[in-house]
Amino acid sequence: MANTAELFEWKGTTCVKLCAGGYEAWVANEIGSNVIRLRDNVNGLEFFRFSEDNTADTIKQSAEVWGLPTLYLPNRFADGILKTSDAVYQLPVNEKAPYNNHIHGFLHKRAHEVVEYKADDNCAWVKTRYVYDEKDEFFKYLPVRFTAEYTFTLSEQGMEQNIRFINTDGMKVLPMSLASHTTINSPFVDGAKEEDIRLTVPIGKRCELNERCLPTENLKVPTMHDLEYKNGVKKPVLQVVDNEMYFAEYADLDGEKFHGVIAEDIASGKKLCYEVSEEYGFWIIWNDRGFNHYFCPEPMTAMIDAPNLSLPADVTGYREVKPGDVFETHERFFTKL
């Protein structure tokens, strides 16, 4: 079948539907360029948490836990404070006591613009963009102008997501920590059972968190519990997995180094593969108490609260984008049989 890219209305929001290589993706530009649906129609895989009964408003109200939301600034900042090399910003405290943190930023809640959508014989793609400046209500907390550009490409290789942040401020550095709050459907294979899911995450040391879900700066050697991820025997649902954060290492996929995670339905042998670029130095695993039919292997470019920690930036992953410079990351989702 011919590859296609088309604009369509889905329950009150605009989306671009891409079809190519047996995959289908719905990119909701008005909900933070969230990929609210990704399917392998040939092999029967529903990658992300999706419900036919949903409305656009349902997703907008909880944009972190549907589809593939991109978070800037992700996870938690203690007391809402964000320290950069040239400023100290006070972000709103939107996670109340006992946590008292700022959580997850704002970009995944904004309406982005569609720049282009097309298809050819090789693939289908859409480009979206968000320009952040004084017109955004968050600017009073973080007055640093930037442009975020997204490109989603669908082909026989699966779905690729490329994200670019351009610091357009001219004066101040742009603090950079980026994450995907990736919601994997459970089960992700049509007709499968949740108890048959196994998750492989190539973990290094564990980053210990305190009762506010903030790093203690104690980096722990993996225990037998942690090594379930590395050994590919972790059951990511039907039990509680609560903000387990690790340094990212490499897995093996078909005899080659693989920087990503692999979820397998052991009954069918079908694998959901999630590859990320090396800028993503950390994985956080979370599953919303384990019985809500999804789990989140979240790649982050930096630790939780990274700019405020005493650990060096080459450990925390914290970066700053200078005026005029660009920060870029890449992800890919695909099926293996």
Side-chain angles (χ1 to χ4, degrees), residues 72-73 82 89-92 102 105-108 110-113 129-150 164-170 172-176:
Y72 176 86
L73 297 150
L82 195 168
Y89 300 106
Q90 178 63 61
L91 308 181
H102 174 77
F106 57 93
L107 195 59
H108 62 298
R110 298 297 186 258
H112 299 186
E113 88 178 278
R129 176 171 57 205
Y130 185 74
V131 176
Y132 176 75
D133 55 21
E134 292 88 344
K135 293 189 279 298
D136 193 295
E137 63 183 357
F138 204 86
F139 197 80
K140 62 179 175 283
Y141 305 112
L142 183 69
V144 186
R145 298 170 190 84
F146 68 84
T147 297
E149 298 177 340
Y150 300 69
R164 301 175 78 241
F165 275 72
I166 305 102
N167 182 344
T168 58
D169 191 79
K172 298 184 283 292
V173 299
L174 178 67
M176 183 48 61

Side-chain angles (χ1 to χ4, degrees), residues 231-250:
N231 297 331
V233 297
K234 183 68 175 182
K235 296 180 180 180
V237 287
L238 307 180
Q239 60 179 329
V240 176
V241 179
D242 188 16
N243 287 295
E244 299 185 347
M245 181 168 66
Y246 303 92
F247 284 82
E249 294 188 350
Y250 284 88

Side-chain angles (χ1 to χ4, degrees), residues 100-291:
N100 203 58
N101 303 313
H102 174 77
I103 186 167
H104 290 339
F106 57 93
L107 195 59
H108 62 298
K109 300 178 180 179
R110 298 297 186 258
H112 299 186
E113 88 178 278
V114 175
V115 177
E116 175 187 60
Y117 59 97
K118 290 185 178 179
D120 59 23
D121 290 342
N122 297 314
C123 61
W125 70 93
V126 57
K127 295 181 180 180
T128 64
R129 176 171 57 205
Y130 185 74
V131 176
Y132 176 75
D133 55 21
E134 292 88 344
K135 293 189 279 298
D136 193 295
E137 63 183 357
F138 204 86
F139 197 80
K140 62 179 175 283
Y141 305 112
L142 183 69
V144 186
R145 298 170 190 84
F146 68 84
T147 297
E149 298 177 340
Y150 300 69
T151 303
F152 303 91
T153 305
L154 213 61
S155 71
E156 292 181 350
Q157 304 303 311
M159 188 192 76
E160 301 180 36
Q161 173 183 250
N162 194 78
I163 300 175
R164 301 175 78 241
F165 275 72
I166 305 102
N167 182 344
T168 58
D169 191 79
M171 294 284 291
K172 298 184 283 292
V173 299
L174 178 67
M176 183 48 61
S177 180
L178 191 68
S180 293
H181 205 281
T182 314
T183 64
I184 303 296
N185 207 54
S186 175
F188 52 86
V189 173
D190 293 353
K193 298 176 181 178
E194 290 190 274
E195 55 263 33
D196 289 333
I197 299 173
R198 298 293 182 273
L199 180 65
T200 300
V201 184
I203 64 161
K205 288 186 176 179
R206 181 165 180 164
C207 307
E208 183 181 69
L209 303 180
N210 64 20
E211 64 280 356
R212 292 174 62 192
C213 285
L214 299 169
T216 66
E217 304 194 10
N218 183 21
L219 308 179
K220 304 178 72 174
V221 174
T223 64
M224 291 299 293
H225 167 87
D226 302 317
L227 290 173
E228 288 182 358
Y229 289 112
K230 195 162 191 170
N231 297 331
V233 297
K234 183 68 175 182
K235 296 180 180 180
V237 287
L238 307 180
Q239 60 179 329
V240 176
V241 179
D242 188 16
N243 287 295
E244 299 185 347
M245 181 168 66
Y246 303 92
F247 284 82
E249 294 188 350
Y250 284 88
D252 179 273
L253 183 63
D254 296 337
E256 296 186 5
K257 286 176 67 176
F258 180 72
H259 196 248
V261 301
I262 303 162
E264 181 177 1
D265 173 60
I266 58 173
S268 66
K270 294 178 180 179
K271 297 182 179 72
L272 184 160
C273 304
Y274 179 15
E275 183 178 24
V276 298
S277 58
E278 292 189 352
E279 291 80 13
Y280 294 102
F282 302 88
W283 289 101
I284 297 179
I285 319 299
W286 176 79
N287 68 7
D288 192 10
R289 299 176 298 278
F291 293 86

